[in-house]
Amino acid sequence: MGKIGLQFKATLENVTHLRPVGEDFRWYLKLKCGNCGEVSEKWQYLRLMDSHPLKGGRGSATMVQKCKLCSRENSIDILSHTMKPYNAEDSETFKTIVEFECRGLEPVDFQPQASSMNVLGSMAAFLNHLFLKHKLLL
């Protein structure tokens, strides 16, 4: 069981901050099985509001998934207390904006969605129509 932080870097001009809003915010990820290394072909999303039981009644996780290649049951959980906004003073630097508790699933790529980010500042209306293109490090 390990924790993986998602780091974000962007240039913010006329924007005060970007942040995920609500329990229905979707974190679009590509996930890798820690057992066999299989990487999902399609983007999958995680939401705080989702909770699925773990096999054997050992609690729950944001996503529980059986690997298509090795059939191992893996899970990943969003650590809500680690979610942080990306502010104007963070511009041009990497900042961890969320952490995931990984049990067999490892995020290997992230696709930001502008329509689901809360953008504040004088350019907010314009930015809400753009797709965020900054690559993130996991």
Side-chain angles (χ1 to χ4, degrees), residues 5-90:
L6 184 132
Q7 292 191 331
F8 185 82
K9 179 182 178 182
T11 302
L12 300 185
E13 292 181 21
N14 299 317
V15 174
T16 56
H17 72 270
L18 299 171
R19 66 182 173 98
V21 177
E23 290 192 355
D24 61 342
F25 177 81
R26 295 180 179 193
W27 297 94
Y28 284 89
L29 304 169
K30 286 204 176 178
L31 302 168
K32 179 173 89 172
C33 175
N35 188 49
C36 68
E38 177 74 7
V39 176
S40 59
E41 291 179 22
K42 297 180 181 180
W43 292 101
Q44 299 174 308
Y45 67 84
L46 306 176
R47 300 181 304 176
L48 275 174
M49 64 188 297
D50 296 332
S51 180
H52 303 281
L54 294 170
K55 192 175 186 179
R58 299 173 294 148
S60 64
T62 305
M63 175 185 277
V64 178
Q65 177 177 298
K66 190 173 183 178
C67 179
K68 291 180 182 178
L69 190 63
C70 70
S71 299
R72 180 176 171 179
E73 183 178 273
N74 301 309
S75 64
I76 187 169
D77 213 9
I78 300 169
L79 300 175
S80 60
H81 65 279
T82 67
M83 293 173 52
K84 295 178 176 45
Y86 190 84
N87 300 312
E89 58 268 13
D90 302 318

Coordinates of all heavy atoms in Angstrom, one line a residue, residues 5-90:
G5 N 1.4 11.0 -5.3 CA 0.9 12.4 -5.4 C 0.9 12.8 -6.9 O 1.8 12.5 -7.6
L6 N -0.1 13.5 -7.3 CA -0.2 14.1 -8.6 C 0.2 15.5 -8.6 O -0.3 16.3 -7.8 CB -1.7 14.0 -9.1 CG -1.9 14.4 -10.6 CD1 -2.7 13.4 -11.3 CD2 -2.5 15.8 -10.6
Q7 N 1.3 15.8 -9.4 CA 1.8 17.2 -9.4 C 1.4 17.9 -10.7 O 1.3 17.3 -11.8 CB 3.4 17.1 -9.3 CG 3.9 16.6 -8.0 CD 5.3 16.8 -7.9 OE1 6.1 16.8 -8.8 NE2 5.8 17.1 -6.6
F8 N 1.1 19.2 -10.5 CA 0.6 20.0 -11.6 C 1.5 21.2 -11.8 O 2.0 21.7 -10.8 CB -0.8 20.5 -11.2 CG -1.6 21.3 -12.2 CD1 -2.2 20.6 -13.3 CD2 -1.6 22.6 -12.2 CE1 -2.9 21.3 -14.2 CE2 -2.3 23.4 -13.1 CZ -3.0 22.7 -14.2
K9 N 1.7 21.6 -13.1 CA 2.5 22.8 -13.4 C 1.8 23.5 -14.5 O 1.5 22.9 -15.5 CB 3.9 22.4 -13.8 CG 4.8 23.6 -14.1 CD 6.2 23.1 -14.6 CE 7.0 24.3 -15.0 NZ 8.4 23.9 -15.4
A10 N 1.6 24.8 -14.3 CA 1.0 25.6 -15.4 C 1.4 27.1 -15.2 O 2.0 27.5 -14.2 CB -0.5 25.6 -15.2
T11 N 1.2 27.8 -16.3 CA 1.5 29.2 -16.3 C 0.1 29.9 -16.1 O -0.8 29.8 -17.0 CB 2.1 29.7 -17.6 OG1 3.3 29.0 -17.8 CG2 2.4 31.2 -17.6
L12 N -0.1 30.6 -15.0 CA -1.4 31.3 -14.7 C -1.2 32.7 -15.0 O -0.4 33.4 -14.4 CB -1.8 31.0 -13.3 CG -2.1 29.6 -12.9 CD1 -2.6 29.6 -11.4 CD2 -3.0 28.9 -13.8
E13 N -1.9 33.3 -16.0 CA -2.0 34.7 -16.3 C -3.4 35.1 -16.2 O -4.3 34.6 -16.8 CB -1.4 35.0 -17.7 CG 0.0 34.7 -17.8 CD 0.6 35.0 -19.2 OE1 -0.1 35.8 -19.9 OE2 1.6 34.4 -19.5
N14 N -3.7 36.1 -15.4 CA -5.0 36.6 -15.1 C -6.0 35.6 -14.5 O -7.2 35.6 -14.7 CB -5.7 37.2 -16.4 CG -4.9 38.3 -17.0 OD1 -4.4 39.2 -16.2 ND2 -4.6 38.3 -18.3
V15 N -5.4 34.6 -13.9 CA -6.1 33.5 -13.2 C -5.6 33.5 -11.8 O -4.4 33.4 -11.6 CB -6.0 32.2 -13.9 CG1 -6.6 31.1 -13.1 CG2 -6.5 32.3 -15.3
T16 N -6.5 33.5 -10.8 CA -6.0 33.4 -9.4 C -5.8 32.0 -8.9 O -4.8 31.7 -8.2 CB -7.0 34.1 -8.4 OG1 -8.3 33.5 -8.6 CG2 -7.1 35.6 -8.7
H17 N -6.6 31.0 -9.3 CA -6.4 29.6 -9.0 C -7.2 28.7 -9.8 O -8.3 29.0 -10.3 CB -6.5 29.4 -7.5 CG -7.9 29.4 -6.9 ND1 -8.5 30.5 -6.5 CD2 -8.8 28.4 -6.8 CE1 -9.7 30.3 -6.1 NE2 -9.9 29.0 -6.3
L18 N -6.7 27.4 -9.8 CA -7.5 26.3 -10.4 C -7.7 25.3 -9.2 O -6.8 25.1 -8.5 CB -6.6 25.6 -11.5 CG -6.3 26.4 -12.7 CD1 -5.3 25.6 -13.5 CD2 -7.5 26.8 -13.5
R19 N -8.9 24.7 -9.2 CA -9.1 23.7 -8.1 C -10.2 22.8 -8.5 O -11.2 23.2 -9.2 CB -9.4 24.4 -6.8 CG -10.6 25.2 -6.7 CD -10.8 25.8 -5.3 NE -11.9 26.7 -5.2 CZ -13.1 26.3 -4.8 NH1 -13.3 25.1 -4.3 NH2 -14.1 27.2 -4.8
P20 N -10.2 21.6 -8.1 CA -11.3 20.6 -8.3 C -12.4 21.0 -7.3 O -12.2 21.4 -6.2 CB -10.7 19.3 -7.9 CG -9.6 19.6 -7.0 CD -9.1 20.9 -7.4
V21 N -13.7 21.0 -7.8 CA -14.8 21.4 -7.0 C -15.8 20.2 -6.9 O -16.2 19.6 -7.9 CB -15.5 22.6 -7.6 CG1 -16.7 23.0 -6.8 CG2 -14.6 23.8 -7.7
G22 N -16.2 19.9 -5.6 CA -17.2 19.0 -5.4 C -16.8 17.5 -5.4 O -15.7 17.2 -5.9
E23 N -17.6 16.7 -4.8 CA -17.3 15.3 -4.7 C -17.5 14.6 -6.1 O -17.1 13.4 -6.2 CB -18.2 14.6 -3.7 CG -17.8 15.0 -2.2 CD -18.5 14.1 -1.2 OE1 -19.3 13.2 -1.5 OE2 -18.1 14.3 0.0
D24 N -18.1 15.2 -7.0 CA -18.3 14.6 -8.3 C -17.2 15.1 -9.3 O -17.3 14.7 -10.5 CB -19.7 15.0 -8.9 CG -19.9 16.5 -9.1 OD1 -19.2 17.3 -8.5 OD2 -20.9 16.8 -9.8
F25 N -16.2 15.8 -8.9 CA -15.1 16.1 -9.7 C -14.4 14.8 -10.2 O -14.2 13.9 -9.5 CB -14.0 17.0 -9.0 CG -12.8 17.3 -9.8 CD1 -12.9 18.3 -10.7 CD2 -11.7 16.6 -9.7 CE1 -11.8 18.6 -11.5 CE2 -10.6 16.8 -10.5 CZ -10.6 17.9 -11.4
R26 N -14.1 14.8 -11.5 CA -13.6 13.6 -12.1 C -12.1 13.7 -12.4 O -11.6 14.6 -13.1 CB -14.3 13.3 -13.4 CG -15.7 12.9 -13.2 CD -16.4 12.6 -14.6 NE -17.8 12.2 -14.3 CZ -18.5 11.7 -15.2 NH1 -18.1 11.4 -16.4 NH2 -19.8 11.4 -14.9
W27 N -11.3 12.8 -11.8 CA -9.8 12.7 -12.0 C -9.6 11.7 -13.1 O -9.8 10.5 -12.8 CB -9.1 12.3 -10.7 CG -9.3 13.3 -9.6 CD1 -10.2 13.2 -8.6 CD2 -8.4 14.4 -9.4 NE1 -10.0 14.3 -7.8 CE2 -8.9 15.1 -8.2 CE3 -7.4 15.0 -10.0 CZ2 -8.4 16.2 -7.7 CZ3 -6.8 16.2 -9.5 CH2 -7.3 16.8 -8.4
Y28 N -9.3 12.1 -14.3 CA -9.2 11.2 -15.5 C -7.7 10.7 -15.4 O -6.8 11.4 -15.6 CB -9.4 11.9 -16.8 CG -10.9 12.1 -17.0 CD1 -11.6 13.2 -16.6 CD2 -11.7 11.1 -17.7 CE1 -13.0 13.4 -16.8 CE2 -13.0 11.2 -17.9 CZ -13.7 12.4 -17.5 OH -15.0 12.5 -17.7
L29 N -7.6 9.3 -15.3 CA -6.3 8.7 -15.2 C -6.2 7.5 -16.1 O -7.2 6.9 -16.4 CB -6.1 8.2 -13.7 CG -6.2 9.2 -12.6 CD1 -6.2 8.5 -11.3 CD2 -5.1 10.2 -12.7
K30 N -4.9 7.2 -16.4 CA -4.6 5.9 -17.0 C -3.9 5.1 -15.8 O -3.0 5.7 -15.2 CB -3.7 6.0 -18.2 CG -4.5 6.5 -19.4 CD -3.8 6.1 -20.7 CE -4.7 6.5 -21.8 NZ -4.1 6.2 -23.1
L31 N -4.3 3.9 -15.6 CA -3.9 3.1 -14.5 C -3.1 1.9 -14.9 O -3.4 1.3 -15.9 CB -5.1 2.7 -13.6 CG -5.9 3.9 -13.1 CD1 -7.2 3.4 -12.5 CD2 -5.1 4.6 -12.1
K32 N -2.1 1.5 -14.1 CA -1.2 0.4 -14.4 C -1.4 -0.6 -13.2 O -1.4 -0.3 -12.1 CB 0.2 0.8 -14.5 CG 1.2 -0.4 -14.7 CD 2.6 0.1 -15.0 CE 3.3 0.3 -13.7 NZ 4.8 0.5 -13.8
C33 N -1.6 -1.9 -13.6 CA -1.6 -3.0 -12.6 C -0.2 -3.2 -12.0 O 0.8 -3.3 -12.7 CB -2.1 -4.3 -13.3 SG -2.1 -5.7 -12.2
G34 N -0.1 -3.1 -10.7 CA 1.1 -3.3 -10.0 C 1.6 -4.8 -10.1 O 2.8 -5.0 -9.8
N35 N 0.8 -5.7 -10.4 CA 1.2 -7.1 -10.4 C 1.8 -7.5 -11.8 O 2.9 -8.0 -11.8 CB -0.1 -8.0 -10.2 CG 0.3 -9.4 -10.0 OD1 1.2 -9.8 -9.3 ND2 -0.4 -10.3 -10.7
C36 N 1.1 -7.2 -12.9 CA 1.6 -7.6 -14.2 C 2.0 -6.4 -15.1 O 2.6 -6.7 -16.2 CB 0.5 -8.4 -14.9 SG -1.0 -7.4 -15.4
G37 N 1.8 -5.2 -14.7 CA 2.2 -4.0 -15.5 C 1.3 -3.6 -16.6 O 1.6 -2.7 -17.4
E38 N 0.1 -4.2 -16.7 CA -0.8 -3.9 -17.8 C -1.4 -2.5 -17.5 O -1.7 -2.1 -16.4 CB -2.0 -4.9 -17.7 CG -3.1 -4.6 -18.7 CD -2.8 -4.9 -20.2 OE1 -1.7 -5.5 -20.4 OE2 -3.6 -4.6 -21.0
V39 N -1.4 -1.6 -18.6 CA -1.8 -0.2 -18.5 C -3.2 -0.1 -19.2 O -3.3 -0.6 -20.3 CB -0.8 0.7 -19.1 CG1 -1.3 2.2 -19.1 CG2 0.5 0.7 -18.4
S40 N -4.1 0.6 -18.6 CA -5.4 0.7 -19.2 C -5.3 1.5 -20.5 O -4.6 2.5 -20.6 CB -6.4 1.4 -18.3 OG -5.9 2.7 -17.9
E41 N -6.0 1.1 -21.5 CA -6.0 1.7 -22.8 C -6.9 3.0 -22.8 O -6.5 4.0 -23.4 CB -6.5 0.8 -23.9 CG -5.6 -0.4 -24.2 CD -6.2 -1.3 -25.3 OE1 -7.1 -0.8 -26.1 OE2 -5.8 -2.4 -25.4
K42 N -8.0 2.9 -22.1 CA -8.9 4.1 -22.0 C -8.7 4.9 -20.7 O -8.2 4.4 -19.7 CB -10.3 3.6 -22.1 CG -10.7 2.8 -23.3 CD -12.1 2.4 -23.3 CE -12.4 1.6 -24.6 NZ -13.8 1.1 -24.7
W43 N -9.1 6.1 -20.8 CA -9.1 7.0 -19.6 C -10.1 6.5 -18.7 O -11.3 6.2 -19.1 CB -9.3 8.4 -20.0 CG -8.2 9.0 -20.8 CD1 -8.1 9.2 -22.1 CD2 -6.9 9.5 -20.3 NE1 -6.9 9.7 -22.5 CE2 -6.2 9.9 -21.4 CE3 -6.4 9.5 -19.0 CZ2 -4.9 10.4 -21.3 CZ3 -5.1 10.0 -18.9 CH2 -4.3 10.4 -20.0
Q44 N -9.8 6.4 -17.4 CA -10.8 6.1 -16.4 C -10.8 7.2 -15.4 O -9.8 7.9 -15.2 CB -10.3 4.8 -15.6 CG -10.2 3.6 -16.6 CD -9.6 2.4 -15.9 OE1 -8.5 2.5 -15.3 NE2 -10.3 1.3 -16.0
Y45 N -12.0 7.4 -14.8 CA -12.1 8.5 -13.8 C -12.4 8.0 -12.4 O -13.1 7.0 -12.2 CB -13.1 9.6 -14.3 CG -14.5 9.2 -14.3 CD1 -15.3 9.3 -13.2 CD2 -15.1 8.8 -15.5 CE1 -16.6 8.9 -13.2 CE2 -16.4 8.4 -15.5 CZ -17.2 8.5 -14.4 OH -18.5 8.1 -14.4
L46 N -11.9 8.8 -11.5 CA -12.2 8.6 -10.0 C -12.9 9.8 -9.5 O -12.6 10.9 -9.9 CB -10.9 8.5 -9.3 CG -9.8 7.4 -9.7 CD1 -8.6 7.6 -8.8 CD2 -10.4 6.1 -9.6
R47 N -13.9 9.6 -8.6 CA -14.6 10.7 -8.0 C -14.7 10.4 -6.5 O -14.8 9.2 -6.1 CB -16.1 10.8 -8.5 CG -16.2 11.0 -10.0 CD -17.6 11.1 -10.4 NE -18.4 9.9 -10.1 CZ -19.7 9.8 -10.3 NH1 -20.3 10.8 -10.9 NH2 -20.3 8.7 -10.0
L48 N -14.6 11.4 -5.7 CA -14.7 11.3 -4.2 C -16.0 10.6 -3.8 O -16.1 9.8 -2.8 CB -14.6 12.6 -3.5 CG -13.3 13.2 -3.2 CD1 -13.4 14.6 -2.7 CD2 -12.5 12.3 -2.3
M49 N -17.1 10.9 -4.5 CA -18.4 10.4 -4.2 C -18.6 8.8 -4.4 O -19.5 8.2 -3.9 CB -19.5 11.1 -4.9 CG -19.4 10.9 -6.4 SD -20.6 11.9 -7.4 CE -22.1 11.4 -6.8
D50 N -17.6 8.2 -5.1 CA -17.7 6.8 -5.4 C -17.0 6.0 -4.3 O -15.9 6.4 -3.8 CB -17.0 6.5 -6.7 CG -17.8 7.1 -7.9 OD1 -19.0 7.3 -7.8 OD2 -17.1 7.4 -8.9
S51 N -17.7 4.9 -3.9 CA -17.1 4.1 -2.9 C -17.6 2.6 -3.2 O -18.8 2.4 -3.3 CB -17.6 4.5 -1.5 OG -17.1 3.6 -0.5
H52 N -16.6 1.8 -3.3 CA -16.9 0.4 -3.7 C -16.2 -0.5 -2.6 O -15.1 -0.3 -2.2 CB -16.3 0.0 -5.1 CG -16.8 1.0 -6.1 ND1 -18.0 0.8 -6.7 CD2 -16.2 2.1 -6.7 CE1 -18.2 1.8 -7.6 NE2 -17.1 2.5 -7.6
P53 N -17.0 -1.6 -2.2 CA -16.4 -2.5 -1.2 C -15.2 -3.3 -1.7 O -15.2 -3.7 -2.9 CB -17.6 -3.4 -0.9 CG -18.5 -3.3 -2.0 CD -18.3 -2.0 -2.7
L54 N -14.3 -3.5 -0.8 CA -13.2 -4.4 -1.1 C -13.5 -5.9 -0.9 O -14.4 -6.2 0.0 CB -11.9 -4.0 -0.3 CG -11.4 -2.6 -0.5 CD1 -10.3 -2.3 0.5 CD2 -10.7 -2.6 -1.9
K55 N -12.9 -6.8 -1.6 CA -13.2 -8.2 -1.5 C -12.9 -8.6 -0.1 O -11.9 -8.2 0.5 CB -12.3 -8.9 -2.5 CG -12.7 -10.4 -2.6 CD -11.8 -11.0 -3.7 CE -12.2 -12.4 -4.1 NZ -11.4 -12.9 -5.1
G56 N -13.8 -9.4 0.5 CA -13.5 -10.0 1.8 C -13.9 -9.0 3.0 O -13.6 -9.2 4.1
G57 N -14.7 -7.9 2.6 CA -15.1 -7.0 3.6 C -14.1 -6.2 4.3 O -14.2 -5.9 5.5
R58 N -13.0 -5.9 3.6 CA -11.8 -5.2 4.2 C -11.9 -3.7 4.1 O -11.0 -3.0 4.0 CB -10.5 -5.7 3.6 CG -10.2 -7.1 3.8 CD -9.0 -7.6 3.0 NE -9.3 -7.5 1.6 CZ -8.5 -7.2 0.6 NH1 -7.2 -7.0 0.9 NH2 -8.8 -7.1 -0.6
G59 N -13.1 -3.2 3.9 CA -13.3 -1.7 3.8 C -13.8 -1.4 2.4 O -14.4 -2.2 1.7
S60 N -13.5 -0.1 1.9 CA -13.9 0.3 0.6 C -12.8 1.2 0.0 O -11.9 1.6 0.7 CB -15.2 1.1 0.7 OG -15.0 2.2 1.5
A61 N -13.0 1.5 -1.3 CA -12.1 2.3 -2.0 C -12.8 3.1 -3.1 O -13.9 2.7 -3.5 CB -11.0 1.5 -2.7
T62 N -12.2 4.2 -3.6 CA -12.8 4.9 -4.7 C -13.0 4.1 -5.9 O -14.1 4.2 -6.6 CB -12.0 6.2 -5.0 OG1 -11.7 6.9 -3.8 CG2 -12.6 7.1 -6.0
M63 N -12.1 3.3 -6.3 CA -12.2 2.3 -7.4 C -11.6 1.0 -7.0 O -10.5 0.9 -6.5 CB -11.5 2.9 -8.6 CG -11.5 1.9 -9.8 SD -10.5 2.5 -11.2 CE -11.7 3.5 -12.0
V64 N -12.4 0.0 -7.3 CA -11.9 -1.4 -7.2 C -12.1 -2.0 -8.6 O -13.1 -2.0 -9.2 CB -12.8 -2.2 -6.2 CG1 -12.3 -3.6 -6.1 CG2 -12.7 -1.5 -4.8
Q65 N -11.0 -2.6 -9.0 CA -10.9 -3.1 -10.4 C -10.2 -4.4 -10.5 O -9.1 -4.6 -9.9 CB -10.3 -2.0 -11.3 CG -10.1 -2.4 -12.7 CD -9.5 -1.2 -13.5 OE1 -10.1 -0.1 -13.5 NE2 -8.3 -1.3 -14.0
K66 N -10.7 -5.3 -11.3 CA -10.0 -6.6 -11.6 C -9.2 -6.4 -12.9 O -9.8 -6.0 -13.9 CB -11.1 -7.7 -11.7 CG -10.5 -9.1 -11.8 CD -11.6 -10.1 -11.7 CE -11.0 -11.5 -11.7 NZ -12.1 -12.5 -11.6
C67 N -7.9 -6.8 -12.8 CA -7.1 -6.6 -14.0 C -7.5 -7.6 -15.1 O -7.8 -8.8 -14.8 CB -5.6 -6.9 -13.6 SG -4.5 -6.8 -15.0
K68 N -7.6 -7.1 -16.3 CA -8.0 -7.9 -17.4 C -7.0 -9.0 -17.8 O -7.3 -10.0 -18.3 CB -8.3 -7.0 -18.6 CG -9.6 -6.2 -18.5 CD -9.8 -5.3 -19.7 CE -11.0 -4.4 -19.5 NZ -11.2 -3.6 -20.6
L69 N -5.7 -8.7 -17.5 CA -4.7 -9.6 -17.9 C -4.4 -10.7 -16.8 O -4.4 -11.9 -17.1 CB -3.4 -8.8 -18.2 CG -2.3 -9.6 -18.8 CD1 -2.7 -10.1 -20.2 CD2 -1.0 -8.7 -19.0
C70 N -4.2 -10.3 -15.6 CA -3.8 -11.2 -14.5 C -5.0 -11.6 -13.6 O -4.8 -12.4 -12.7 CB -2.6 -10.7 -13.8 SG -2.9 -9.3 -12.7
S71 N -6.1 -10.9 -13.7 CA -7.3 -11.1 -12.8 C -7.1 -10.8 -11.4 O -8.0 -11.1 -10.5 CB -7.7 -12.6 -12.9 OG -8.0 -12.9 -14.3
R72 N -6.1 -10.0 -11.0 CA -5.9 -9.6 -9.7 C -6.8 -8.4 -9.3 O -7.0 -7.5 -10.2 CB -4.5 -9.2 -9.4 CG -4.2 -8.7 -8.0 CD -2.7 -8.4 -7.9 NE -2.5 -7.7 -6.6 CZ -1.4 -7.4 -6.1 NH1 -0.3 -7.6 -6.8 NH2 -1.3 -6.8 -5.0
E73 N -7.4 -8.4 -8.2 CA -8.3 -7.3 -7.7 C -7.4 -6.2 -7.1 O -6.6 -6.5 -6.2 CB -9.3 -7.7 -6.7 CG -10.3 -6.6 -6.3 CD -11.3 -7.0 -5.4 OE1 -12.4 -7.5 -5.8 OE2 -11.1 -6.8 -4.2
N74 N -7.5 -5.0 -7.7 CA -6.7 -3.9 -7.3 C -7.6 -2.7 -6.9 O -8.8 -2.7 -7.3 CB -5.8 -3.4 -8.4 CG -4.8 -4.5 -8.8 OD1 -4.1 -5.1 -8.0 ND2 -4.7 -4.7 -10.1
S75 N -7.1 -1.8 -6.1 CA -7.9 -0.6 -5.8 C -7.1 0.6 -5.6 O -5.9 0.6 -5.5 CB -8.7 -0.9 -4.4 OG -7.8 -1.0 -3.4
I76 N -7.8 1.8 -5.7 CA -7.1 3.1 -5.5 C -8.2 4.0 -4.8 O -9.4 3.9 -5.1 CB -6.7 3.7 -6.9 CG1 -5.9 4.9 -6.7 CG2 -7.9 3.8 -7.9 CD1 -5.2 5.4 -8.0
D77 N -7.7 4.8 -4.0 CA -8.5 5.7 -3.2 C -8.0 7.1 -3.3 O -6.8 7.4 -3.2 CB -8.5 5.2 -1.7 CG -9.8 5.5 -1.0 OD1 -10.8 5.8 -1.7 OD2 -9.8 5.3 0.2
I78 N -8.9 8.1 -3.4 CA -8.5 9.5 -3.4 C -8.4 9.9 -1.9 O -9.4 9.7 -1.2 CB -9.6 10.4 -4.1 CG1 -9.8 10.0 -5.5 CG2 -9.2 11.9 -4.0 CD1 -11.0 10.6 -6.2
L79 N -7.3 10.5 -1.5 CA -7.2 11.0 -0.2 C -7.7 12.5 -0.2 O -7.0 13.4 -0.5 CB -5.7 10.9 0.3 CG -5.2 9.5 0.3 CD1 -3.7 9.5 0.6 CD2 -5.9 8.6 1.2
S80 N -8.9 12.7 0.2 CA -9.6 14.0 0.1 C -8.9 15.1 0.9 O -8.9 16.2 0.4 CB -11.1 13.9 0.6 OG -11.1 13.5 1.9
H81 N -8.3 14.7 2.0 CA -7.6 15.8 2.8 C -6.4 16.3 2.1 O -5.8 17.3 2.6 CB -7.3 15.2 4.2 CG -6.3 14.1 4.2 ND1 -6.7 12.8 3.9 CD2 -5.0 14.1 4.4 CE1 -5.6 12.0 4.0 NE2 -4.6 12.8 4.3
T82 N -5.9 15.7 1.0 CA -4.7 16.1 0.3 C -5.0 17.0 -0.9 O -4.1 17.5 -1.5 CB -3.9 14.9 -0.1 OG1 -4.6 14.2 -1.2 CG2 -3.5 14.0 1.0
M83 N -6.3 17.2 -1.2 CA -6.6 18.0 -2.4 C -6.3 19.5 -2.1 O -6.8 20.1 -1.1 CB -8.1 17.8 -2.7 CG -8.3 16.4 -3.2 SD -10.1 16.0 -3.5 CE -10.6 17.4 -4.5
K84 N -5.5 20.1 -3.0 CA -5.2 21.5 -2.8 C -5.3 22.3 -4.1 O -5.1 21.7 -5.2 CB -3.7 21.6 -2.4 CG -3.5 21.0 -1.0 CD -2.0 21.1 -0.6 CE -1.7 20.5 0.8 NZ -2.3 19.3 1.2
P85 N -5.7 23.6 -4.0 CA -5.8 24.4 -5.3 C -4.4 24.7 -5.8 O -3.4 24.7 -5.1 CB -6.5 25.7 -4.8 CG -6.1 25.8 -3.4 CD -6.0 24.4 -2.9
Y86 N -4.3 25.0 -7.1 CA -3.1 25.5 -7.7 C -3.3 27.0 -7.9 O -4.1 27.5 -8.6 CB -2.9 24.8 -9.1 CG -1.5 25.1 -9.7 CD1 -0.4 24.4 -9.4 CD2 -1.4 26.1 -10.6 CE1 0.8 24.6 -9.9 CE2 -0.1 26.4 -11.2 CZ 1.0 25.6 -10.8 OH 2.2 25.9 -11.4
N87 N -2.5 27.8 -7.1 CA -2.7 29.2 -7.0 C -1.8 30.0 -7.9 O -0.8 29.5 -8.4 CB -2.5 29.7 -5.6 CG -3.5 29.0 -4.7 OD1 -4.7 29.0 -4.9 ND2 -3.0 28.5 -3.6
A88 N -2.0 31.3 -8.1 CA -1.2 32.2 -8.9 C 0.2 32.2 -8.5 O 1.2 32.2 -9.3 CB -1.8 33.6 -8.9
E89 N 0.5 32.1 -7.2 CA 1.9 32.1 -6.6 C 2.6 30.8 -6.9 O 3.8 30.7 -6.8 CB 1.9 32.4 -5.2 CG 1.1 31.5 -4.2 CD -0.3 32.0 -4.0 OE1 -0.8 32.9 -4.6 OE2 -0.9 31.4 -3.1
D90 N 1.8 29.7 -7.3 CA 2.4 28.4 -7.7 C 2.8 28.4 -9.2 O 3.4 27.4 -9.6 CB 1.4 27.3 -7.4 CG 1.0 27.3 -6.0 OD1 1.9 27.4 -5.1 OD2 -0.2 27.0 -5.7

